[in-house]
Amino acid sequence: MPPVDHVFLNRGLAATTPHPLGLEVSHAQGPWIHLTDETKLFDAVSGIGVTNFGHGNDVVLDQLRSQLEKHLHTMVYGEFLQKTQTEASALLCATLPKELDGIYFLNSGAEAIDGAIKLSRRVNGRTRLMAVSGSYHGNTIGSLSVSSNESRKAAYRPLLPEVEFLKWNDPSDLKRIDSTVACVIVETVQGDAGVRIPSKNWLQDLRAKCRETGALLVLDEIQCGMGRTGKPWAFEHFDIVPDILCMGKALGGGMAIGAMATSKARLSLFAHNPSLGHITTFGGHPMACAGAVGALKSMDKINFTQVERLNRMWQDALESHVAVRNVRRIGAFFAVEMESAEAVQKTIECGLKCASGTGVLLFYFLSVPHAFRLAPPLTCSEDEMATGLRLILQALDHVS
Ligand SMILES: Cc1ncc(COP(=O)(O)O)c(C=O)c1O
């Protein structure tokens, strides 16, 4: 058994890594996280793709305050009509193609993936599942089964049977999809694989192959959705529409949420044979949906031209830094590759060192040790982005 002297375990909390950051939060506003020791960090990762519209966003907070006064939980999902659910669903559908006209609000991204697997099997009665190399879809047994990093799965086997992995972005591998496949699950832009952006041709061929064989195309936009790639949804870059779209993270505006969008006809299957085909106590929680209303209203106000210009500025400056080997970016979603995992470690530590009380929060990928991630809030002003960039470059300077 590992030692129990641990900053989380010592407080009776679950530990997830031997060396957590362990910083104590006081409050957060805009792109800044303020710590109890009175230092502050520029949040260059948006809580891993959650606070796309900034901390303490007024539109989100107003929605939450107003719902707080009305009611919290009243009844399990699917029994009572609740205004925040209906409003969030209408706002969400307004951002989506007409084929995706039904929403199931859930608790987390991983639950949305599990729900998509279940629904696909109901739609076509098939059992085989396909995902792609480099995928990350979450940590429930179902979502872990369709994630590809074997080092994260081995300890938990046996996982779901009948899961196979296609080679990411390889058109010649698509022939393995046939009429026995229930669904193919793909992150439109892979997050944990290091912001890997697929070719338009591959995604369009995948779309066509799924249509031809009756396999459902499930796009995971839990991390790359909600404006992160410079458009409301990443699939808009590729001119395709999924059969099921999985969402989460930034959708809740900081509240815990997951969601699936698909056709009303498909969603209706959960109500029959068996009824209660996917049930959840807290899915569609009124506060989470109030957060979603705030987040969707905020997304509507984002100036994507400015987001592109400011993040392009970050990319240019990062690419010119001697310690950086390569930058992959789409919108405000970056992987910054360095020479080694040690260089990444040192950069992240230097970012946190807070010269004169101000630092920057950078973070790792689980599966790409020689790169760090960047995903700044989309609401940052020009000055805030300039400050964030200066702090990142200072951290990199310590490594070169
Ligand atoms: C692409 C992707 N899918 C699914 C998930 C799982 O979401 P959650 O952590 O809310 O279960 C994540 C979380 O990081 C993710 O990045």
Side-chain angles (χ1 to χ4, degrees), residues 193-208:
V195 187
R196 289 207 299 186
I197 306 149
S199 73
K200 192 167 181 173
N201 282 349
W202 178 69
L203 271 184
Q204 292 193 342
D205 288 355
L206 171 62
R207 173 62 283 183

Side-chain angles (χ1 to χ4, degrees), residues 33-61:
I33 299 175
H34 297 260
L35 305 177
T36 49
D37 64 4
E38 298 192 347
T39 59
K40 63 175 185 175
L41 296 173
F42 183 94
D43 183 357
V45 293
S46 297
I48 315 296
V50 172
T51 44
N52 287 10
F53 311 110
H55 297 277
N57 178 303
D58 281 340
V59 184
V60 174
L61 293 186

Side-chain angles (χ1 to χ4, degrees), residues 276-305:
L276 307 175
H278 185 80
I279 46 175
T280 157
T281 300
F282 287 130
H285 190 281
M287 292 302 285
C289 285
V293 170
L296 288 159
K297 286 187 171 173
S298 304
M299 183 164 77
D300 196 42
K301 293 206 182 69
I302 293 294
N303 176 345
F304 284 110
T305 309

Side-chain angles (χ1 to χ4, degrees), residues 23-180:
L23 303 168
E24 205 163 273
V25 177
S26 160
H27 59 284
Q29 186 61 43
W32 295 104
I33 299 175
H34 297 260
L35 305 177
T36 49
D37 64 4
E38 298 192 347
T39 59
K40 63 175 185 175
L41 296 173
F42 183 94
D43 183 357
V45 293
S46 297
I48 315 296
V50 172
T51 44
N52 287 10
F53 311 110
H55 297 277
N57 178 303
D58 281 340
V59 184
V60 174
L61 293 186
D62 283 349
Q63 294 293 330
L64 292 177
R65 282 190 200 102
S66 133
Q67 182 56 36
L68 194 58
E69 298 300 323
K70 292 184 184 130
H71 63 90
L72 298 178
H73 176 83
T74 51
M75 187 57 184
V76 294
Y77 179 84
E79 298 295 341
F80 285 1
L81 285 169
Q82 299 181 40
K83 189 163 173 264
T84 48
Q85 288 175 358
T86 330
E87 201 178 344
S89 159
L91 287 170
L92 186 47
C93 286
T95 71
L96 294 171
K98 62 176 182 343
E99 295 90 326
L100 304 176
D101 61 356
I103 309 292
Y104 196 158
F105 287 114
L106 301 158
N107 298 282
S108 67
E111 191 193 2
I113 297 291
D114 282 3
I117 293 172
K118 289 173 70 179
L119 188 59
S120 301
R121 287 181 165 177
R122 290 297 305 279
V123 169
N124 54 28
R126 305 172 186 174
T127 48
R128 272 177 79 206
L129 306 172
M130 282 189 154
V132 299
S133 54
S135 59
Y136 179 89
H137 297 294
N139 268 251
T140 56
I141 290 289
S143 59
L144 190 61
S145 299
V146 291
S147 300
S148 77
N149 185 336
E150 184 53 33
S151 67
R152 301 188 48 75
K153 301 192 336 179
Y156 302 106
R157 289 196 178 280
L159 297 171
L160 285 185
E162 298 191 74
V163 177
E164 291 157 54
F165 290 88
L166 297 164
K167 284 194 203 113
W168 178 81
N169 211 26
D170 181 349
S172 67
D173 214 26
L174 298 177
K175 59 179 174 307
R176 289 172 51 212
I177 305 170
D178 63 26
S179 58
T180 65

Side-chain angles (χ1 to χ4, degrees), residues 374-389:
L374 293 174
L378 309 174
T379 43
C380 283
S381 66
E382 184 140 12
D383 280 356
E384 287 167 338
M385 285 294 278
T387 304
L389 178 61

Side-chain angles (χ1 to χ4, degrees), residues 185-225:
I185 306 180
V186 179
E187 290 160 88
T188 316
V189 171
Q190 286 190 328
D192 186 53
V195 187
R196 289 207 299 186
I197 306 149
S199 73
K200 192 167 181 173
N201 282 349
W202 178 69
L203 271 184
Q204 292 193 342
D205 288 355
L206 171 62
R207 173 62 283 183
K209 187 73 183 175
C210 286
R211 198 163 278 132
E212 179 192 316
T213 56
L216 270 70
L217 177 60
V218 178
L219 289 184
D220 175 345
E221 298 218 4
I222 291 160
Q223 189 170 172
C224 66

